[in-house]
Amino acid sequence: MYTFGIDIGSTTSKCVVMKDGNQIAGKSLLTGGIGTRSPAEAVRLAMEDAHVQREDLSAIAATGYGRTRYEDADYQVSELSCHGLGAFFIFPGVRTIIDIGGQDAKVISLDDRGRMKNFLMNDKCAAGTGRFLDVMANILAIPVGELETYSAQAKEPARISSTCTVFAESEVISQLAGGIEIPDLVAGICQSVAGRVSALAKRISIVPEVCMSGGVAQNAGVRDALSEKIGHSILFSPYAQLFGAIGAAIYAYDKKIKEQ
Ligand code: ADP
């Protein structure tokens, strides 16, 4: 049985086709989230990747910020549940998930069967989210995917003292004007995001194993800084940004099986 998960985010659309709820048969990830053409295009690309047609799909579940806008979905599921299901599928030992997406950050606790026990979320402030990195990458004219390469070359990470993205933006510009080395500045930016998210994570009991999900998981500069700040190693999967879509496809499978 094929099921389909679509995660329509604030910045990116992610899709996964799953076979029998336990095998990733196809996937897609496209820049452009809610309100753009990307969700529809991501659906097409994932089906093409899995060599399936719409009529082959037994159920579709939508998650993410734009989940209510996807009319072809049989189910709409919260991102918290989907990130939990997706992360637990990839890492069966995971108990704490730190999800940093384009406009929010969440810390999710799971029990030993992968069910959500607790969560905390920052969706009020861009600092400590992918948005902060996107703004800074734009100032530095560096693609967001290359920030980690610069961060790895830092000798002495800069200190970004502003907690507000708008003030931090001015601070970064004045540090640039002062002639700071770019790698040191980028490392400071990654540390700043990690500092904000670790403060959120410390309000929940962090039980290992710990993994990251969401797009920012791909940034090793943030991952390493976060790991140091919370005092736990952080599991990484190249599927991290797809965890929500994987979870949605698993949710659709579980629902369909129960209905049969
Ligand atoms: P959303 O679901 O809100 O669209 P995502 O979980 O897809 O959010 O994450 C989007 C964020 O991930 C972007 O704001 C960006 O900062 C970050 N990101 C995307 N691609 C990369 C990459 N290759 N390396 C590092 N960070 C990335």
Side-chain angles (χ1 to χ4, degrees):
M1 181 201 295
Y2 288 102
T3 56
F4 195 91
I6 176 164
D7 178 359
I8 305 174
S10 60
T11 67
T12 315
S13 300
K14 286 83 61 175
C15 293
V16 163
V17 180
M18 289 208 79
K19 188 164 186 273
D20 301 328
N22 59 20
Q23 196 186 322
I24 297 170
K27 59 184 166 40
S28 65
L29 188 152
L30 264 190
T31 304
I34 183 167
T36 69
R37 290 171 51 202
S38 291
E41 183 59 5
V43 168
R44 194 188 66 72
L45 290 172
M47 288 205 270
E48 194 176 281
D49 191 37
H51 305 290
V52 295
Q53 313 282 326
R54 175 64 186 89
E55 53 272 24
D56 300 321
L57 304 175
S58 300
I60 298 179
T63 188
Y65 190 52
R67 65 181 176 274
T68 56
R69 299 276 295 275
Y70 189 66
E71 287 169 4
D72 201 19
D74 300 292
Y75 314 107
Q76 289 165 354
V77 207
S78 87
E79 290 143 273
L80 292 162
S81 309
C82 289
H83 280 278
L85 283 168
F88 194 73
F89 172 74
I90 299 286
F91 299 122
V94 78
R95 297 289 174 273
T96 308
I97 303 157
I98 301 178
D99 169 41
I100 315 182
Q103 68 169 16
D104 61 23
K106 311 176 192 77
V107 184
I108 306 165
S109 299
L110 301 183
D111 68 13
D112 58 4
R113 292 174 59 191
R115 292 173 306 199
M116 186 171 66
K117 286 203 306 186
N118 199 359
F119 77 93
L120 279 174
M121 172 149 70
N122 159 32
D123 60 354
K124 300 280 181 285
C125 169
T129 73
R131 176 83 190 128
F132 185 89
L133 294 168
D134 298 342
V135 167
M136 300 309 166
N138 193 34
I139 295 172
L140 300 173
I142 295 173
V144 77
E146 289 176 24
L147 291 177
E148 65 172 2
T149 312
Y150 285 86
S151 176
Q153 294 160 9
K155 294 192 190 78
E156 197 179 327
R159 208 179 119 60
I160 316 280
S161 54
S162 306
T163 47
C164 165
T165 306
V166 178
F167 291 140
E169 197 176 350
S170 315
E171 200 180 334
V172 164
I173 291 169
S174 74
Q175 296 213 30
L176 272 177
I180 190 167
E181 298 285 336
I182 301 282
D184 289 346
L185 194 48
V186 172
I189 289 164
C190 293
Q191 295 264 4
S192 169
V193 171
R196 297 286 293 197
V197 179
S198 71
L200 182 74
K202 282 175 185 166
R203 288 167 46 203
I204 216 166
S205 78
I206 306 171
V207 179
E209 300 170 350
V210 182
C211 78
M212 278 186 76
S213 70
V216 177
Q218 295 181 76
N219 182 325
V222 174
R223 259 188 351 253
D224 294 346
L226 193 53
S227 168
E228 200 178 306
K229 286 180 197 294
I230 64 171
H232 292 282
S233 54
I234 295 179
L235 299 169
F236 170 68
S237 160
Y239 286 111
Q241 198 168 2
L242 292 170
F243 281 178
I246 294 172
I250 294 173
Y251 179 91
Y253 177 80
D254 291 347
K255 275 285 205 193
K256 209 68 204 167
I257 290 289
K258 278 190 193 133
E259 282 169 15
Q260 277 175 358

